[in-house]
Amino acid sequence: MIKRLVSIIILAVVITSLFMVLSETAPFGDDETVVSHRYIYKGVDETGSANLVTAVVLNYRGFDTLGEVTVLFVAATGVGAALYTRKHPVRKNKVEASLIVKTGSKLLFPMMLLFGAYIFVHGHLTPGGGFQGGAVIATAFVFKYISDTRYSIDHVGFTKMESASGMIFAGLGIMGLLLGGYFLLNILPNGTPGELISAGILPIIYIAIGIKVGAELTGIIDRMMGVEA
Amino acid sequence: MMFYFASAALIAIGIYMLMVKKNLIKMILGLSVIDSGVNLLLISIGYINGKTAPIIQPGVSPSNVVDPLPQALVLTNIVIGVSVTALALSVVIRVYKHYKTLNSSEVRDLKW
């Protein structure tokens, strides 16, 4: 009881001070862009991507994104290591899904794959991108797991796809290094901003990231489903 | 202003969950709630009154969009949050297998 009270008091102090500092230094709705000026005014000309967030994520800070993908990869590997079992994991839940869930997931599965692919192919034009599209694809596989108690992904295929897309990302970076002298340099022409084939290597990178993230998140789900608690 | 308040509230709820709750899964939920609070805070710092999403298209000029940089940072942060949650949950599964409990004060070396 006393611990609860103390934590509430500490939190109240910390949060009010944070709130006051924020409303003093960065009032809500004010223009505080400093670095982003260049991104906003020159981003479309320099990268060819209509979506400025994609321009920042993949072009100006593409190296960060490579690190981010690496973090996700390491986390997926860590989940695999933490949940490692010597024998082949067997799904524990023996409760069959209802007919509605089965039919619904059968109907929705291809559409969800298509929607995920749409999100990451159009990452440089519309909101969304590789990470979001990959998450949608992983959700489609969650549906599969829920509706079928014996379903399991093809591990070898998923691993191969994941490694191939990771290698495409790193390979494009090294190509930029070889051809232009910078890692992840945009080696393809920018094209007309707003068209599907534009922005040079950005759509290729986002497609690779989408496949990679989808495969990794599905792998995490598979390992958590296969565990025997 | 409303958004600052909401994000501060989310962060407070998350830290409260971390401090008070005993169940390990609830503590991880608290981490996720803090995550959402921080994401909302970053996005609302980048918001500019009366401006629209940073996607340049016919009808949207560069002087008319919000700051894209916090949004890019939040995109990174969401992915990191997912990784942390997944890893923490799998460690909790391991802890449960080993100690047969999720109560953090019954797990040796996790007492405070």
Side-chain angles (χ1 to χ4, degrees), chain A residues 30-53:
Chain A
D30 270 22
D31 194 343
E32 290 124 12
T33 53
V34 184
V35 184
S36 322
H37 257 283
R38 185 192 173 90
Y39 300 157
I40 292 175
Y41 286 97
K42 297 225 173 117
V44 175
D45 293 336
E46 283 180 351
T47 66
S49 158
N51 186 344
L52 290 176
V53 179

Side-chain angles (χ1 to χ4, degrees), chain A residues 79-127:
Chain A
V79 171
L83 300 179
Y84 175 77
T85 42
R86 207 164 299 254
K87 50 184 185 292
H88 191 71
V90 188
R91 299 267 308 275
K92 251 285 168 72
N93 58 330
K94 290 284 180 273
V95 185
E96 285 280 322
S98 74
L99 185 68
I100 296 172
V101 176
K102 277 183 179 168
T103 320
S105 72
K106 233 176 244 166
L107 280 174
L108 279 175
F109 180 69
M111 289 185 211
M112 286 173 87
L113 286 188
L114 187 67
F115 184 56
Y118 166 79
I119 289 178
F120 65 66
V121 168
H122 287 249
H124 56 302
L125 303 176
T126 54

